[in-house]
């Protein structure tokens, strides 16, 4: 009969060999271990190289308050493709930025950003910060018009960085200024020429007698970017104006010109009776100080861009692929001549912006730099929607412990046998 | 001598020795600093400011050493310590001396050696400064062995010595550093020449002579200013380039092989004087032009005035006929060299000007500076007008606008008729008789009308009532009689008779004054007769006679009233497009852009900012040249570039970025920001 | 305020600015006769010392007496020229050696820039009617003044357009008559004024 001691010795040996067998078995057939690697927005890019070296059993999870750069998103997508479980969660601000050139001789870039309400936007380029703003509560985003910028433009929507390339400058075509010879026509043409626009004039002086520029181009988008009508004499251009606008050309209807028969159908509204203002002898004259022709009966598809008191002074409308701007001011020249200090430059700048906002821009060519960025969209597109982090699975017993137990059991068994012999 | 007295003598010796030692070590410290500075300067060419500082450091080191040693040895002034010193050297005293000093009882000292410890003290005092003396001598010898120029640069640094120093330089090094600029202003400024060491920008007066110089041979060193190239001249072991400063800012580009250096010459233009007239303080009207008028004015100039005086112009006459006289008063040359302020006073004697009623005197103060480069600058004050009132001016209650008198109107009309008649006479060979007579009669009708108008004036004055000439046929005979009578009187009035005129009582002798008008009336009568006959050629002499007579009448009786001219309202609708000719305008040429310079500056600024990422030195040069080019067209932008250039020179990248951002805003304008998006993306 | 062309006569402190009172009406009449320019039926007087003179981009200045601008006048004239106005100055003495010419040219040089000869093929001379140069007046050789026929007008140009135009041809005398008297003329001697105004309104 085996004694208890002997049974104990046998039991130790059996357990030891069982553990050895377990170790051999787990090394041949390893049980899947679930490890979750975590990172945040600030260090996810730095962790990616080490993540790449982790076994594919490891789950990778990023907590993002800003979408990573395109490189980071592509890398994470590649890791998922390689077998990793890649998940992310967080609330990066949904934003998209688009850059387009300002159609003006002086160039410039317009950056429009769609961003959540109340988010803070900071625009910069390699030369430093350009400007910043906060999206209003009801606003869909914000816009920047930058006269001079370098290389690519970087934008921060809260902590979300976006990058757009600076689009190539577009040299605008000539603009045609049509009107009766008078101060408004003279100073509008002069202001645009001073700003670098190529201006073709057609000023009516007497029946059949016009003061014209050297060349009179055809009224089409191959020759002209915009037509500026100072008064109703734009009617002499006939149906060519409508064709021009529908092809993409721009039309500015100043003063009462929107009432001319050939353009009234294009105008954003009709021309209301002129609002006159009393100007005191000591008043400094600004834009609209002496009154304007209000845009009345604004069409449904038109937008009122500027109001003054109860009247609309500037309204805009798209016609075909072109744009029409109706400007109620008919004597902006008074602002230039008799305005406050700097009014000459302000008048010039204002008219250049008016024309630039409707000027025809040719279609973008192939090979243009990347002028839009939507990092959150790319994140969703490559990695899917946000998900909670996977649960970490329990890991197996440490093999070193098992080895120690095996050795201990064998030692106990051998010691017991030896001591038995000594007794 | 008591022990205490002897002790005091010992103290004196010991203190002297300690003081001399401290002084010696102080001198050694100062000289050592100078020596070290000279050594460093010979390799690094320290700036003037650094050398001044090192001078101070050397002096400070000497003083500090002296003070430290004196403080350390301060106990030599206490008797107690001196007594201990003596006790150390003479143990036989057995501390009696110290005890005596402490208790004040000299009797405790029983034995005092013959020499009273003074010999020991003397020897000690003489030994103490020996070491520092030797060190001073060694330092001085070393300094003397160094080149005199090198030591002088440290010993007495002054502007212009940056290129002195005989230490040989590596020929491969740039000869453009150190650089000296000597500025000699024009002689008229009475300012002495100045020197600038290592200049990056100098501001000389336009016309100054600037000489750049440096160490080394002159070959291969060139200066480029605008499109001009200047070659360096040799001057001993130095090179120099001489140029005259123009009125506009410029950048001098000095090149030595592959080395380049830019120096900005921001010329200061001598502005004309500014003159303020204090007396008379405002325009005025004088009833009588007598006495003298006090004049006073101040003139200031940025460089120096040479003369100041009062100028006056006297205008006499009225209407179309004026005479002018001018002169100066109170003029005096300003002899003090470089006088930038002058006050002048004078008295204008009105009697001497022989002013008559209606004259206007314009007075102003004028000052000139001594600018011999671009011509003397002339500054003038505001002008004051002094008018002498016309006779009767103060009697009238109101001055109302008067329409041109009949005489004045008639001059124009008569002249027109003459021109028409002349033109008709010229066309006579080409016209048929009927047409000729018809047109001649048209002119005759106008002449008649004109004659009637003159007649109204003439006969109103003669008879006091309206002329009834040719008003109706019924009473024409009666009126003609009356008129004939009047004509007879008029005839006799027009110097055909020497009989005295028979005037009724109260009648003013206006006829005598209106002789010319009567003459004109008669001449017109003759002219219209000829014109009726279709003979414009024969009518012309009579018409010209009438014109001359009207002119005479006009001048004899001037009725020129100053005031608001008559308002003639044109009936636009009636006149619209009634002209015979049609215009044919030429094409309108385009006008140049006003901001082409700005576009150029923008592209250059962009290139400079892009360059700043790789090459700071080249960026500094680009921005320097851009700043100078922008000074004339866009001084605000030019001013914003200076902080960027300075920050880049000092290696402060963040400051330079901020400064460049400000420069960009100043040049291109701030961005426009909208805090929302509308459906119309291209907002104006 | 209307958008018409208003003929403005410059009033300055130092001289007889109103020496040609009928010129405005005559020129207004001329403009109406040959063009369809919307012109006001009467002229206005614009004191140079008042900033309101900037409301009239075309100014006519004449006289016989010295021209000396006050500081306020100088300031306004400078601003007027900088902003694109056209100042037409005519020497009523037609005397290049006379005080009006000397003082006015000095004031213009000091206020704006020195005057230079305007070439006779300048667009001004073909802006409406064609002229080979400045038309001669009947007063240039009337025995008064300098008794010269002045071949050129003088001008200060800014950015390619005339800012100040100076005449020694005495257009002030030539045009200083009631418009009704035009009927006596075979050739309208005010036609050059049309060129002036059309140039001012279109250049």
């Amino acid at each position: 009969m085996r004694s208890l001691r002997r049974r104990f010795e046998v039991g130790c040996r059996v357990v030891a060999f069982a553990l050895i067998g377990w170790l051999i078995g787990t090394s041949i057939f390893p049980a899947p271990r679930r490890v979750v690697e975590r990172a945040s927005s600030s260090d996810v890019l730095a962790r990616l190289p080490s993540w790449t070296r982790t076994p594919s059993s490891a789950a990778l999870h990023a907590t993002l308050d800003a979408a990573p750069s395109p490189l980071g998103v592509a890398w994470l997508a590649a890791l998922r493709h390689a077998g990793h479980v890649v998940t992310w969660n967080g609330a990066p601000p949904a934003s998209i930025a688009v850059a387009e050139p300002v159609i003006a001789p002086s160039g410039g870039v317009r950056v429009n950003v769609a961003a959540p309400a109340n988010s803070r936007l900071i625009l910069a380029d390699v030369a430093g910060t350009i400007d910043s703003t906060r999206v209003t509560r009801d606003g869909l985003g914000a816009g920047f018009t930058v006269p001079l910028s370098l290389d690519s433009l970087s934008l921060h929507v809260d902590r979300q960085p976006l990058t757009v390339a600076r689009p190539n400058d577009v040299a605008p075509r000539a603009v045609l200024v049509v009107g009766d010879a008078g101060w408004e026509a003279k100073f509008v043409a002069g202001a645009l020429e001073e700003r670098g626009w190529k201006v073709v004039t057609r000023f009516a002086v007497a029946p059949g007698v016009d003061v014209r520029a050297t060349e009179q181009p055809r009224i089409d988008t191959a020759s002209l970017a915009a037509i500026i009508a100072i008064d109703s004499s734009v009617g002499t251009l006939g149906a060519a104006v409508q064709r021009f606008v529908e092809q993409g050309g721009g039309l500015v209807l100043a003063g009462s010109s929107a009432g001319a028969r050939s353009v009234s159908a294009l105008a954003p509204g009709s021309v209301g009776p002129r609002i006159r203002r009393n100007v005191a002898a000591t008043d400094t004259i600004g834009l609209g100080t002496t009154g304007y022709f209000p845009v009345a009966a604004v069409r449904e598809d038109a937008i009122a861009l500027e109001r003054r008191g109860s009247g609309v002074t500037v309204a805009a409308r798209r016609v075909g692929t072109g744009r029409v701007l109706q400007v109620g001011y008919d004597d902006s020249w008074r602002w230039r001549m008799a305005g406050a200090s700097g009014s000459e430059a302000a008048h010039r700048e204002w008219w250049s912006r008016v024309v630039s906002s409707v000027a025809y821009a040719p279609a973008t060519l192939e090979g243009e730099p990347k002028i839009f960025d939507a990092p959150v969209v790319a994140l969703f597109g490559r990695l899917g929607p946000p998900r909670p982090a996977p649960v970490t699975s329990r890991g197996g017993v440490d093999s070193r412990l098992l080895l120690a137990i095996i050795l201990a059991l064998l030692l106990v068994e051998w010691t017991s046998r030896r001591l038995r012999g000594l007794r | 001598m008591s022990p205490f007295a002897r002790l005091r003598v010992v103290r004196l010796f010991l203190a002297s020795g300690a003081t001399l030692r401290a002084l010696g070590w102080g001198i050694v410290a100062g000289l050592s600093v100078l020596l070290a500075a000279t050594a460093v300067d010979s390799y690094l060419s320290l700036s003037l400011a650094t050398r001044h500082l090192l001078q101070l450091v050397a002096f400070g080191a000497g003083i500090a050493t002296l003070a430290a040693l004196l403080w350390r040895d301060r106990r030599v002034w206490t008797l107690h310590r001196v007594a201990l010193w003596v006790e150390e050297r003479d143990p036989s005293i057995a501390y009696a001396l110290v005890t005596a000093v402490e208790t004040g009882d000299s009797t405790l000292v029983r034995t005092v050696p013959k020499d009273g410890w003074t010999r020991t003290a003397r020897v000690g005092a003489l030994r103490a400064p020996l070491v520092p003396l030797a060190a001073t001598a060694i330092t001085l010898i070393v300094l003397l062995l160094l080149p005199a120029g090198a030591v002088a640069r440290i010993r007495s640094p002054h502007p212009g010595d940056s290129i002195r120093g005989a230490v040989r330089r590596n020929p491969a090094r740039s000869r453009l550093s150190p650089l000296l600029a000597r500025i000699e202003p024009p002689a008229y400024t009475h300012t002495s020449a100045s020197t600038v060491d290592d200049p990056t920008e100098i501001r000389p007066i336009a016309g100054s002579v600037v000489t750049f110089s440096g160490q080394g041979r002159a070959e291969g060193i060139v200066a480029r200013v605008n499109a001009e190239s200047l070659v360096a001249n040799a001057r001993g072991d130095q090179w120099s380039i001489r140029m005259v400063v123009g009125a506009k800012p410029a950048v001098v580009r000095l090149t030595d092989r592959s080395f380049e250096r830019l120096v900005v010459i921001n010329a200061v233009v001598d502005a004309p004087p500014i003159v303020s007239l204090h007396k008379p303080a405002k325009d005025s009207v004088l009833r009588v032009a007598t006495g003298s008028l006090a004049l006073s004015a101040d003139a200031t100039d940025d460089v120096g005035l040479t003369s100041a005086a009062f100028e006056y112009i006297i205008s006499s006459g009225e209407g179309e006929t004026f005479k002018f006289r001018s002169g100066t008063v109170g003029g005096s040359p300003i002899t003090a060299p470089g006088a930038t302020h002058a006050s002048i006073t004078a008295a204008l004697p009105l009697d001497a000007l022989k002013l008559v009623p209606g004259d206007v005197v314009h007075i102003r103060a004028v000052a000139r500076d001594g600018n011999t480069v671009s011509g003397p600058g002339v500054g003038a004050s505001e002008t004051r007008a002094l008018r002498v009132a016309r006779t009767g001016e103060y009697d009238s209650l109101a001055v109302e606008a008067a329409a041109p008198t009949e005489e004045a109107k008639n001059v124009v009309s008569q002249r027109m008729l003459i021109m028409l008649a002349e033109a008709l006479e010229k066309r006579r060979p080409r016209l048929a008789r009927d047409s000729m007579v018809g047109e001649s009669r048209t002119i005759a009708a106008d002449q008649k009308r004109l004659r009637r108008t003159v007649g109204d004036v003439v006969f109103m004055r003669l008879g006091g009532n309206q002329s009834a000439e040719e008003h109706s046929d019924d009473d024409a005979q009666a009126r003609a009689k009356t008129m004939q009578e009047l004509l007879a009187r008029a005839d006799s009035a027009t110097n055909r008779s020497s009989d005295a005129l028979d005037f009724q009582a109260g009648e003013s002798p206006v006829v005598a004054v209106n002789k010319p008008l009567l003459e004109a009336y008669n001449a017109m009568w003759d002219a219209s007769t000829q014109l009726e006959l279709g003979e414009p050629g024969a009518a012309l002499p009579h018409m010209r006679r009438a014109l001359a007579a009207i002119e005479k009448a006009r001048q004899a009786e001037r009725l020129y009233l100053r005031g608001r001219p008559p308002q003639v309202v044109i009936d636009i609708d009636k006149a619209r497009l009634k002209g015979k000719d049609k215009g044919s305008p030429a094409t309108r040429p385009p006008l140049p852009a006003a901001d082409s310079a700005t576009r150029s500056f923008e592209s250059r600024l962009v290139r400079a900012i892009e360059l700043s990422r790789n090459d700071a030195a080249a960026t500094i040069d680009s921005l320097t040249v851009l700043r100078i080019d922008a000074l004339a067209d866009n001084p605000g932008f030019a001013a914003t570039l200076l902080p960027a250039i300075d920050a880049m020179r000092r290696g402060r990248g963040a400051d330079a970025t901020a400064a460049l951002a400000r420069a960009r805003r100043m040049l291109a304008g701030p961005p426009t920001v909208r805090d929302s998006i509308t459906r119309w993306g291209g907002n104006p | 305020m209307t958008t018409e062309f208003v003929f403005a006569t410059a009033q300055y402190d130092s001289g007889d600015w109103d020496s040609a009172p009928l010129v405005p009406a005559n020129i207004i009449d001329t403009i109406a006769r040959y063009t369809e320019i919307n012109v006001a039926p009467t002229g206005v007087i614009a004191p140079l010392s008042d900033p309101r003179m900037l409301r009239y981009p075309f100014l006519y200045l004449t006289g016989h007496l010295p021209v000396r601008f006050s500081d306020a006048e100088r300031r306004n004239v400078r601003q007027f020229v900088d902003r694109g106005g056209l100042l037409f100055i005519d020497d009523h003495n037609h005397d290049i050696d006379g005080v009006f010419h000397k003082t006015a040219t000095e004031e213009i040089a000091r206020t704006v820039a020195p005057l230079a000869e305007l070439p006779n093929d300048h667009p001004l001379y073909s802006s409406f009617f064609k002229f080979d140069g400045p038309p001669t007046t009947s007063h240039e050789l009337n025995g008064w003044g300098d008794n010269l026929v002045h071949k050129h007008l003088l001008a200060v140009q800014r950015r390619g357009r005339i800012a100040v135009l100076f005449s020694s041809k005495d257009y002030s005398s030539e045009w200083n008559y009631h418009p009704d008297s035009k009927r006596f003329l075979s050739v309208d001697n005010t036609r050059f004024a049309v060129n002036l105004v059309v140039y001012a309104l279109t250049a």
Side-chain angles (χ1 to χ4, degrees), chain A residues 251-329:
Chain A
L251 178 63
V252 177
L253 299 169
S256 60
S257 58
R261 206 182 310 165
S262 61
V263 297
S264 55
L266 306 171
S270 60
V271 181
R274 196 180 193 280
I275 290 172
R276 293 201 181 275
R277 292 227 160 94
N278 289 327
V279 181
T282 49
D283 280 350
T284 304
I285 295 181
L287 184 63
T289 302
T290 56
Y292 55 92
F293 284 97
V295 181
V298 177
R299 290 176 201 266
E300 268 182 29
D301 59 351
I303 309 159
L305 295 178
E306 186 187 285
R307 289 176 195 275
R308 207 176 262 270
S310 57
V312 175
T313 49
V314 180
R317 181 175 177 234
R318 282 191 170 80
V319 175
T321 52
R323 301 179 183 199
V324 181
L325 204 69
Q326 187 173 342
V327 174
Y329 305 114

Side-chain angles (χ1 to χ4, degrees), chain C residues 1-190:
Chain C
M1 283 185 180
T2 64
T3 57
E4 300 163 319
F5 170 78
V6 179
F7 190 94
T9 302
Q11 179 183 3
Y12 54 99
D13 290 342
S14 67
D16 58 337
W17 55 272
D18 56 347
S19 61
L22 290 172
V23 164
N26 206 354
I27 293 181
I28 289 167
D29 177 77
T30 300
I31 300 299
R33 277 173 187 269
Y34 296 105
T35 74
E36 277 190 320
I37 292 170
N38 189 9
V39 58
T42 57
V44 300
I45 294 160
L48 291 183
S49 55
D50 189 333
R52 280 177 291 167
M53 58 82 89
L54 296 168
R55 298 182 186 184
Y56 307 101
F58 180 88
L59 284 175
Y60 161 65
L61 188 153
T62 190
H64 301 92
L65 301 181
V67 176
R68 294 276 184 229
F69 289 150
S70 63
D71 286 343
E73 289 172 343
R74 187 168 297 116
R75 205 169 39 242
N76 289 336
V77 167
R78 196 175 282 139
Q79 209 170 32
F80 175 85
V81 163
D82 285 346
R83 292 184 177 191
L86 194 156
L87 175 63
F88 171 52
I89 304 175
D90 181 63
D91 180 2
H92 211 159
N93 291 322
H94 58 96
D95 184 357
I96 56 174
D97 219 18
V99 285
F100 181 94
H101 182 103
K102 285 183 177 167
T103 54
T105 51
E106 184 191 318
E107 285 296 328
I108 293 299
R110 205 170 143 198
T111 305
V112 184
L115 289 156
E117 270 187 8
L118 189 70
N120 287 346
D121 58 354
H122 190 274
L124 168 69
Y125 298 113
S126 53
S127 60
F128 194 78
F129 294 114
K130 294 266 183 295
F131 294 96
D132 293 329
T136 306
T137 67
S138 58
H139 296 266
E140 284 182 278
L141 297 176
N142 66 358
W144 291 347
D146 55 23
N147 221 34
L148 294 169
V149 173
H150 304 92
K151 291 209 171 82
H152 295 274
L153 300 180
L154 305 177
V156 173
Q157 301 205 56
R158 277 280 168 90
R159 294 184 210 139
R161 59 158 86 100
I162 297 172
V164 180
L165 186 67
F166 187 95
S167 150
S168 296
K169 298 186 80 70
D170 201 3
Y171 290 117
S172 303
S173 294
E174 186 83 341
W175 298 340
N176 190 32
Y177 59 89
H178 198 285
D180 288 347
S181 302
K182 278 200 181 84
R183 67 186 188 278
F184 299 118
L185 301 172
S186 55
V187 175
D188 184 353
N189 64 355
T190 62

Side-chain angles (χ1 to χ4, degrees), chain B residues 17 22 51-52 71 140 192 244 253 259 309 324 327 355 419 468 472 506-507 517 566 621 623 626 628 670:
Chain B
R51 285 181 276 133
H52 275 300
W71 178 257
L140 280 170
S192 50
V244 178
R253 199 179 286 268
F259 300 103
F324 303 98
L355 299 171
M419 283 166 69
S472 68
E507 214 172 42
L517 262 185
D621 288 350
L623 290 176
L626 177 58
I628 293 304

